[in-house]
PDB file of all heavy atoms in Angstrom:
ATOM      1  N   ARG W  21      79.250  55.129  84.341  1.00  0.00           N
ATOM      2  CA  ARG W  21      80.579  55.334  84.915  1.00  0.00           C
ATOM      3  C   ARG W  21      81.397  54.034  84.821  1.00  0.00           C
ATOM      4  O   ARG W  21      82.597  54.077  84.563  1.00  0.00           O
ATOM      5  CB  ARG W  21      80.483  55.852  86.343  1.00  0.00           C
ATOM      6  CG  ARG W  21      80.064  57.263  86.404  1.00  0.00           C
ATOM      7  CD  ARG W  21      80.018  57.804  87.806  1.00  0.00           C
ATOM      8  NE  ARG W  21      79.610  59.203  87.814  1.00  0.00           N
ATOM      9  CZ  ARG W  21      79.389  59.901  88.922  1.00  0.00           C
ATOM     10  NH1 ARG W  21      79.553  59.316  90.100  1.00  0.00           N
ATOM     11  NH2 ARG W  21      79.022  61.155  88.815  1.00  0.00           N
ATOM     12  N   TRP W  25      84.823  53.524  82.750  1.00  0.00           N
ATOM     13  CA  TRP W  25      86.006  52.983  83.447  1.00  0.00           C
ATOM     14  C   TRP W  25      86.592  51.798  82.648  1.00  0.00           C
ATOM     15  O   TRP W  25      87.789  51.677  82.471  1.00  0.00           O
ATOM     16  CB  TRP W  25      85.635  52.594  84.844  1.00  0.00           C
ATOM     17  CG  TRP W  25      86.780  52.104  85.676  1.00  0.00           C
ATOM     18  CD1 TRP W  25      87.117  50.823  85.910  1.00  0.00           C
ATOM     19  CD2 TRP W  25      87.744  52.891  86.350  1.00  0.00           C
ATOM     20  NE1 TRP W  25      88.242  50.740  86.694  1.00  0.00           N
ATOM     21  CE2 TRP W  25      88.639  52.047  86.977  1.00  0.00           C
ATOM     22  CE3 TRP W  25      87.952  54.281  86.491  1.00  0.00           C
ATOM     23  CZ2 TRP W  25      89.705  52.453  87.736  1.00  0.00           C
ATOM     24  CZ3 TRP W  25      88.993  54.704  87.246  1.00  0.00           C
ATOM     25  CH2 TRP W  25      89.869  53.819  87.829  1.00  0.00           C
ATOM     26  N   LEU W  31      91.570  50.850  76.719  1.00  0.00           N
ATOM     27  CA  LEU W  31      92.450  51.723  75.888  1.00  0.00           C
ATOM     28  C   LEU W  31      93.849  51.824  76.497  1.00  0.00           C
ATOM     29  O   LEU W  31      94.843  51.853  75.771  1.00  0.00           O
ATOM     30  CB  LEU W  31      91.814  53.091  75.694  1.00  0.00           C
ATOM     31  CG  LEU W  31      90.574  53.124  74.835  1.00  0.00           C
ATOM     32  CD1 LEU W  31      89.952  54.494  74.835  1.00  0.00           C
ATOM     33  CD2 LEU W  31      90.867  52.656  73.429  1.00  0.00           C
ATOM     34  N   ALA W  40     104.961  48.174  74.880  1.00  0.00           N
ATOM     35  CA  ALA W  40     105.834  46.997  75.066  1.00  0.00           C
ATOM     36  C   ALA W  40     106.344  46.499  73.713  1.00  0.00           C
ATOM     37  O   ALA W  40     107.478  46.053  73.609  1.00  0.00           O
ATOM     38  CB  ALA W  40     105.028  45.894  75.757  1.00  0.00           C
ATOM     39  N   LEU W  44     110.072  46.351  73.221  1.00  0.00           N
ATOM     40  CA  LEU W  44     110.301  44.888  73.372  1.00  0.00           C
ATOM     41  C   LEU W  44     110.092  44.418  74.777  1.00  0.00           C
ATOM     42  O   LEU W  44     109.731  43.292  74.992  1.00  0.00           O
ATOM     43  CB  LEU W  44     111.683  44.522  72.838  1.00  0.00           C
ATOM     44  CG  LEU W  44     111.961  44.834  71.366  1.00  0.00           C
ATOM     45  CD1 LEU W  44     113.364  44.424  70.979  1.00  0.00           C
ATOM     46  CD2 LEU W  44     110.955  44.135  70.460  1.00  0.00           C
ATOM     47  N   ASN W  49     111.087  50.836  86.149  1.00  0.00           N
ATOM     48  CA  ASN W  49     112.156  51.830  86.180  1.00  0.00           C
ATOM     49  C   ASN W  49     112.140  52.707  84.921  1.00  0.00           C
ATOM     50  O   ASN W  49     112.790  53.730  84.862  1.00  0.00           O
ATOM     51  CB  ASN W  49     113.509  51.158  86.339  1.00  0.00           C
ATOM     52  CG  ASN W  49     113.791  50.130  85.252  1.00  0.00           C
ATOM     53  OD1 ASN W  49     112.887  49.763  84.494  1.00  0.00           O
ATOM     54  ND2 ASN W  49     115.024  49.654  85.196  1.00  0.00           N
ATOM     55  N   ALA W  74      94.255  68.187  75.393  1.00  0.00           N
ATOM     56  CA  ALA W  74      95.359  67.251  75.674  1.00  0.00           C
ATOM     57  C   ALA W  74      96.331  67.224  74.480  1.00  0.00           C
ATOM     58  O   ALA W  74      97.549  67.213  74.629  1.00  0.00           O
ATOM     59  CB  ALA W  74      94.815  65.865  75.936  1.00  0.00           C
ATOM     60  N   VAL W  75      95.781  67.238  73.273  1.00  0.00           N
ATOM     61  CA  VAL W  75      96.627  67.221  72.083  1.00  0.00           C
ATOM     62  C   VAL W  75      97.397  68.507  71.962  1.00  0.00           C
ATOM     63  O   VAL W  75      98.617  68.503  71.667  1.00  0.00           O
ATOM     64  CB  VAL W  75      95.744  66.963  70.814  1.00  0.00           C
ATOM     65  CG1 VAL W  75      96.571  67.122  69.531  1.00  0.00           C
ATOM     66  CG2 VAL W  75      95.131  65.582  70.881  1.00  0.00           C
ATOM     67  N   SER W  82     105.873  69.396  74.019  1.00  0.00           N
ATOM     68  CA  SER W  82     106.888  68.705  73.210  1.00  0.00           C
ATOM     69  C   SER W  82     107.825  69.714  72.515  1.00  0.00           C
ATOM     70  O   SER W  82     109.032  69.525  72.474  1.00  0.00           O
ATOM     71  CB  SER W  82     106.241  67.810  72.176  1.00  0.00           C
ATOM     72  OG  SER W  82     105.521  66.783  72.807  1.00  0.00           O
ATOM     73  N   MET W  88     114.364  73.276  74.362  1.00  0.00           N
ATOM     74  CA  MET W  88     115.260  73.413  75.499  1.00  0.00           C
ATOM     75  C   MET W  88     116.331  72.319  75.488  1.00  0.00           C
ATOM     76  O   MET W  88     117.432  72.525  76.009  1.00  0.00           O
ATOM     77  CB  MET W  88     114.454  73.398  76.790  1.00  0.00           C
ATOM     78  CG  MET W  88     113.578  74.617  76.964  1.00  0.00           C
ATOM     79  SD  MET W  88     114.419  76.205  76.670  1.00  0.00           S
ATOM     80  CE  MET W  88     115.560  76.239  78.034  1.00  0.00           C
ATOM     81  N   ALA W 111     102.773  79.360  84.416  1.00  0.00           N
ATOM     82  CA  ALA W 111     102.098  80.459  83.698  1.00  0.00           C
ATOM     83  C   ALA W 111     100.705  80.048  83.278  1.00  0.00           C
ATOM     84  O   ALA W 111      99.745  80.823  83.420  1.00  0.00           O
ATOM     85  CB  ALA W 111     102.947  80.837  82.468  1.00  0.00           C
ATOM     86  N   ARG W 124      86.489  73.241  76.118  1.00  0.00           N
ATOM     87  CA  ARG W 124      86.104  73.403  74.722  1.00  0.00           C
ATOM     88  C   ARG W 124      86.862  72.400  73.853  1.00  0.00           C
ATOM     89  O   ARG W 124      87.974  71.988  74.156  1.00  0.00           O
ATOM     90  CB  ARG W 124      86.467  74.808  74.242  1.00  0.00           C
ATOM     91  CG  ARG W 124      85.644  75.880  74.969  1.00  0.00           C
ATOM     92  CD  ARG W 124      85.986  77.267  74.440  1.00  0.00           C
ATOM     93  NE  ARG W 124      87.409  77.565  74.437  1.00  0.00           N
ATOM     94  CZ  ARG W 124      88.063  78.111  75.412  1.00  0.00           C
ATOM     95  NH1 ARG W 124      87.444  78.426  76.520  1.00  0.00           N
ATOM     96  NH2 ARG W 124      89.356  78.352  75.321  1.00  0.00           N
ATOM     97  N   GLY W 128      83.683  72.736  64.576  1.00  0.00           N
ATOM     98  CA  GLY W 128      83.073  73.715  63.730  1.00  0.00           C
ATOM     99  C   GLY W 128      82.754  75.023  64.442  1.00  0.00           C
ATOM    100  O   GLY W 128      83.045  76.110  63.925  1.00  0.00           O
ATOM    101  N   GLY W 139      88.738  88.334  61.909  1.00  0.00           N
ATOM    102  CA  GLY W 139      88.299  89.288  60.922  1.00  0.00           C
ATOM    103  C   GLY W 139      87.600  88.728  59.704  1.00  0.00           C
ATOM    104  O   GLY W 139      87.284  89.469  58.767  1.00  0.00           O
ATOM    105  N   GLY W 141      84.237  87.059  58.161  1.00  0.00           N
ATOM    106  CA  GLY W 141      82.836  86.877  58.478  1.00  0.00           C
ATOM    107  C   GLY W 141      82.355  85.521  58.029  1.00  0.00           C
ATOM    108  O   GLY W 141      83.131  84.627  57.690  1.00  0.00           O
ATOM    109  N   GLU W 159      81.112  96.930  58.609  1.00  0.00           N
ATOM    110  CA  GLU W 159      80.166  96.353  57.656  1.00  0.00           C
ATOM    111  C   GLU W 159      80.784  95.182  56.936  1.00  0.00           C
ATOM    112  O   GLU W 159      81.989  95.100  56.834  1.00  0.00           O
ATOM    113  CB  GLU W 159      79.683  97.422  56.680  1.00  0.00           C
ATOM    114  CG  GLU W 159      78.832  98.486  57.331  1.00  0.00           C
ATOM    115  CD  GLU W 159      78.318  99.474  56.298  1.00  0.00           C
ATOM    116  OE1 GLU W 159      78.316  99.177  55.098  1.00  0.00           O
ATOM    117  OE2 GLU W 159      77.959 100.569  56.703  1.00  0.00           O
TER     118      GLU W 159
END
Side-chain angles (χ1 to χ4, degrees):
R21 287 183 180 175
W25 184 262
L31 292 174
L44 301 178
N49 57 349
V75 171
S82 296
M88 292 311 293
R124 295 182 309 270
E159 292 183 18

